[in-house]
Amino acid sequence: MPPPRTDTPQSRRLPLVVTADEGLLDDLLRLAALGGTDVDLAADPVAARSRHSGAPLVLVGVDQAAAYLRARLPRRPRLVLVGRADQDQPWQVAELLGAEHVAILPAAEPWLVDRFTDLHAGDRVPAVAIGVVGGRGGAGASVLAGGLAVTAARRGLRSLLIDADPLGGGLDLVLGWEQLDGLRWPALADSDGRLDPAALAGALPSRGDLGLLSWDRGAPLPLPASTMTAAIDAARRERDLIVLDLPRRADDAAIAAMHAADQIFVLVPAELRATAAAARVVAGIQGHCPNLSLVVRGPAPGRLSAREIARSLSLPLAGALQSEPRISRGLERGDAPGSSGSGALAELCHRIVAGLADRAAAS
């Protein structure tokens, strides 16, 4: 997990666009924005010469192809010749330029967005995504998910808490953020599977280094799996840690979230029936994310130990929690879980987040 704010615009090498065609330039600027990156501009190859070799990607407009040949710029990889469908097809000149690809708009727009997105994603280590799911109803998974996200933000990590449970009541209530303006899931339900990372980050409810993508108070809407995947992919490029609050009964969007998770924590109360219920939950999740860990929540009325539950479920034990009535009282007042930095929940969240950061640094 990377340290916060290492991907400054000053340190990022930008793709170079060489064109004097204003219409084509507008199209490329729009596609670059969708891909979450800025571009370096040059009206002709002479102006581009000093930046040509160092750019991670060069896009040459068909209008500058002949001038590019006359300028005798050295051949380089990742050069794309870009034109429009209403222009003469530039296949022969592309070979003379040594272009790796020819992009004809509008058909090639999705391909170009992906190339811009790849460049932006390469500027920094993608965020780690972890999930939290309850072994039975009322286990407290949303509180643990909120505590992990809050703790990560307290450590200076850019964190995003994602509510993947449309019937969970809304994570904005867990954080006490129900009055904060910002985009919720229903506004993304009709997206085309691509989201601008920077635009998404700026539109969500947030405080400091913590952002939230949750449901509103309206009737639950079906969320396409592609929308969930697009939101997580966009967040990976702008955040350091993504925390997913997962439902026990998974729909297509929740399954997509499980597939995207690097690790999932299963929270199980220290009770026999809860352990039996958790066995079914674990069996349903393991096909989507094999990296599962167990968190046991006390008290244990039958004196069932955390290690016994871990052996029963064949899961590694990540930690145990004891009951903290003050957390329940704080939630009623709008206090985010873990915000005090003290107590059993805060200590467990700190240990988990620190472990994720250490493993990411080691890798």
Side-chain angles (χ1 to χ4, degrees):
M1 192 181 306
R5 297 188 179 87
T6 57
D7 56 328
T8 62
Q10 291 77 13
S11 66
R12 184 184 303 152
R13 293 191 304 159
L14 299 176
L16 176 63
V17 173
V18 185
T19 183
D21 183 330
E22 293 186 1
L24 181 61
L25 177 58
D26 288 342
D27 286 337
L28 292 175
L29 290 175
R30 172 176 55 83
L31 298 175
L34 288 173
T37 189
D38 296 322
V39 300
D40 197 2
L41 303 177
D44 55 59
V46 174
R49 186 179 295 275
S50 63
R51 294 163 282 169
H52 179 263
S53 61
L57 175 68
V58 175
L59 305 171
V60 178
V62 168
D63 63 297
Q64 294 299 311
Y68 193 97
L69 288 172
R70 291 194 299 270
R72 297 183 179 275
L73 294 178
R75 291 201 173 200
R76 53 151 295 151
R78 307 196 76 180
L79 187 144
V80 180
L81 187 62
V82 187
R84 291 192 298 269
D86 58 356
Q87 297 172 319
D88 292 336
Q89 301 303 292
W91 307 113
Q92 183 176 1
V93 70
E95 184 175 353
L96 295 174
L97 290 174
E100 288 188 353
H101 301 279
V102 176
I104 303 299
L105 305 183
E109 287 190 359
W111 182 85
L112 279 173
V113 171
D114 288 343
R115 301 292 76 73
F116 285 129
T117 300
D118 291 343
L119 291 174
H120 183 61
D123 291 332
R124 59 188 304 274
V125 178
V128 173
I130 61 174
V132 181
V133 63
R136 67 154 169 81
S142 295
V143 174
L144 177 57
L148 287 167
V150 168
T151 300
R154 285 172 56 87
R155 287 174 55 95
L157 298 171
R158 290 165 295 190
S159 307
L160 178 63
L161 180 58
I162 295 182
D163 191 351
D165 186 356
L167 301 180
L171 285 180
D172 53 353
L173 292 174
V174 173
L175 297 182
W177 288 14
E178 61 270 23
Q179 301 303 320
L180 284 189
D181 292 332
L183 181 144
R184 264 73 171 178
W185 273 126
L188 297 176
D190 295 328
S191 68
D192 61 358
R194 280 192 179 85
L195 296 173
D196 176 14
L200 178 64
L204 296 177
S206 63
R207 283 179 178 167
D209 286 321
L210 178 58
L212 173 67
L213 180 50
S214 184
W215 295 90
D216 59 15
R217 303 276 84 79
L221 299 174
L223 186 69
S226 59
T227 301
M228 176 65 73
T229 300
I232 295 173
D233 287 346
R236 283 192 189 274
R237 299 182 178 103
E238 287 290 327
R239 301 283 174 165
D240 301 316
L241 178 67
I242 302 166
V243 181
L244 303 158
D245 184 24
L246 300 168
R248 291 180 301 119
R249 292 181 177 271
D251 56 11
D252 289 345
I255 290 173
M258 292 176 188
H259 278 285
D262 299 297
Q263 184 174 3
I264 294 178
F265 295 90
V266 183
L267 180 60
V268 181
E271 304 165 4
L272 183 60
R273 289 187 63 198
T275 303
R280 295 190 175 188
V281 173
V282 169
I285 294 175
Q286 283 179 322
H288 308 299
C289 177
N291 188 11
L292 304 183
S293 297
L294 175 68
V295 176
V296 175
R297 188 187 59 129
R303 298 191 177 182
L304 190 61
S305 73
R307 295 191 181 280
E308 288 174 324
I309 296 173
R311 283 196 299 269
S312 172
L313 297 175
S314 300
L315 293 180
L317 181 62
L321 283 172
Q322 294 304 315
S323 177
E324 290 184 277
R326 66 173 183 167
I327 290 181
S328 298
R329 293 194 296 269
L331 291 174
E332 296 296 323
R333 297 193 301 265
D335 298 335
S339 57
S340 68
S342 62
L345 175 66
E347 291 175 6
L348 175 65
C349 291
H350 176 80
R351 189 163 67 251
I352 290 175
V353 172
L356 292 170
D358 290 344
R359 288 201 298 272
S363 64

